[in-house]
Amino acid sequence: MDFNMKKLASDAGIFFTRAVQFTEEKFGQAEKTELDAHFENLLARADSTKNWTERILRQTEVLLQPNPSARVEEFLYEKLDRKVPSRVTNGELLAQYMAEAASELGPDTPYGKTLIKVSEAEKRLGAAERDFIHTASLSFLTPLRNFLEGDWKTISKERRLLQNRRLDLDACKARLKKAKAAEAKATTVPDFQETRPRNYILSASASALWNDEVDKAEQELRVAQTEFDRQAEVTRLLLEGISSTHVNHLRCLHEFVKSQTTYYAQCYRHMLDLQKQLGSSQGTIFPGTFVGTTEPASPPLSSTSPTTTAATMPVVPTGTGLAPPEEAALCLEEVAPPASGTRKARVLYDYEAADSSELALLADELITVYSLPGMDPDWLIGERGNKKGKVPVTYLELLS
């Protein structure tokens, strides 16, 4: 018990000394040991890394789970070390509603059949979203969270310890400075004519006491300097490790982009399959029309990136106003390209010809296109070698 009380009193004294030193520094009444410029840059870079990692982590969580209540629930499960229950995605929930609606409204009706097809596509989209969320959480969010909850806590602990060592060092410097000033005042030789003999004895005794105090202060300063230097080196090594953290986060960022690209590519394929299914069945329901809006969609902005062009699926313009397939095929065989007005075009998306009057297209190939009098403005005549046929404008990027 006695030992604990002594230790408690010693800790309280150290805390009080640090508090006094810190307060005097804030008011400009005490000197402060400054760290070198390289060390300050390391501290600033570490703080910036921590702040931006927190922001990126929070916003990525919002991207993967927009519902704030669901994010709070997942956070509580993680803190309680319990498994997060499986959650139905919005796409899967929509697929369930569409399937139930088709069952109640009639699965054999055109509307019911279309609801079933769309519900199956939405279910596949929901499954792809679930896989993306799982992959992104493991490959991107978990490393960022581990840095904040592991490495950064260690760095913060060592920085606080370095701050305490610096306060102890500056307090020892201030104590030594005061002891030397008192020693110099005590060793001043008095005048023999104006001083009693008794004062000489007191002056000599005080001088000896201050000499001992200076020696003690110098010893404490050497110990404090050693501990400060050792702690500064430990903290410096941890701060320099931020570079390896950046490398790790860069690798995780590449994994996140890869998983996101896979997710959107899957969504594109699912919707493309759905559009083909609806297009093949649409003619039996509304002859002479095509699935989608009656007005053609605006073509996407031209881009050299295949990922960008693949992200937007254009709607094939309606074929109303064109000649029947047999007549159109006959006209195309007989017509010659105009002497002027032909242009080169790059194909943006794969296109499967609906009949013999159309020309099948492959993404990124170059073809020659031109227009004929009286043609629908949403279609052009395309030529590739000896093959000729109609092509939709929204699938092309005109070059010259």
Side-chain angles (χ1 to χ4, degrees), residues 40-65:
E40 293 290 351
N41 291 334
L42 292 176
L43 290 174
R45 188 177 66 156
D47 290 334
S48 180
T49 301
K50 180 254 183 182
N51 293 334
W52 283 111
T53 301
E54 285 181 336
R55 295 183 183 182
I56 293 174
L57 175 64
R58 286 196 298 266
Q59 192 57 38
T60 307
E61 290 175 343
V62 173
L63 173 67
L64 299 180
Q65 180 51 264

Side-chain angles (χ1 to χ4, degrees), residues 4-19:
N4 291 336
M5 289 300 297
K6 288 182 178 179
K7 185 176 184 303
L8 180 62
S10 176
D11 292 342
I14 294 174
F15 176 79
F16 178 76
T17 302
R18 291 171 180 171

Side-chain angles (χ1 to χ4, degrees), residues 188-197 199-200:
T188 302
V189 180
D191 189 356
F192 284 96
Q193 301 297 329
E194 300 179 358
T195 308
R196 298 178 181 179
N199 290 342
Y200 289 110

Side-chain angles (χ1 to χ4, degrees), residues 198-271:
R198 177 172 174 272
N199 290 342
Y200 289 110
I201 299 176
L202 295 176
S203 177
S205 176
S207 178
L209 291 176
W210 283 116
N211 285 334
D212 294 340
E213 186 67 22
V214 169
D215 293 340
K216 182 180 178 181
E218 289 178 345
Q219 177 63 25
E220 292 178 352
L221 178 60
R222 285 192 292 269
V223 174
Q225 185 69 54
T226 302
E227 293 180 351
F228 172 78
D229 294 339
R230 183 186 302 113
Q231 185 58 37
E233 184 63 24
V234 171
T235 308
R236 184 192 302 273
L237 292 176
L238 290 175
L239 293 176
E240 290 175 348
I242 293 293
S243 298
S244 61
T245 300
H246 288 179
V247 174
N248 183 35
H249 288 183
L250 175 62
R251 181 168 58 252
C252 297
L253 184 60
H254 280 282
E255 292 295 331
F256 175 71
V257 173
K258 180 180 178 182
S259 62
Q260 199 170 28
T261 303
T262 302
Y263 166 63
Y264 286 120
Q266 291 176 346
C267 293
Y268 170 73
R269 287 196 299 269
H270 294 329
M271 295 309 298

Side-chain angles (χ1 to χ4, degrees), residues 299-357:
L301 295 177
S302 60
S303 173
T304 58
S305 172
T307 304
T308 304
T309 57
T312 305
M313 179 60 200
V315 178
V316 179
T318 177
T320 56
L322 295 175
E326 296 79 3
E327 181 182 348
L330 179 62
C331 295
L332 292 178
E333 291 291 339
E334 297 177 352
V335 72
S340 61
T342 60
R343 304 179 66 178
K344 291 290 185 179
R346 185 174 68 89
V347 179
L348 299 177
Y349 316 95
D350 292 345
Y351 177 72
E352 184 177 353
D355 51 55
S356 59
S357 67

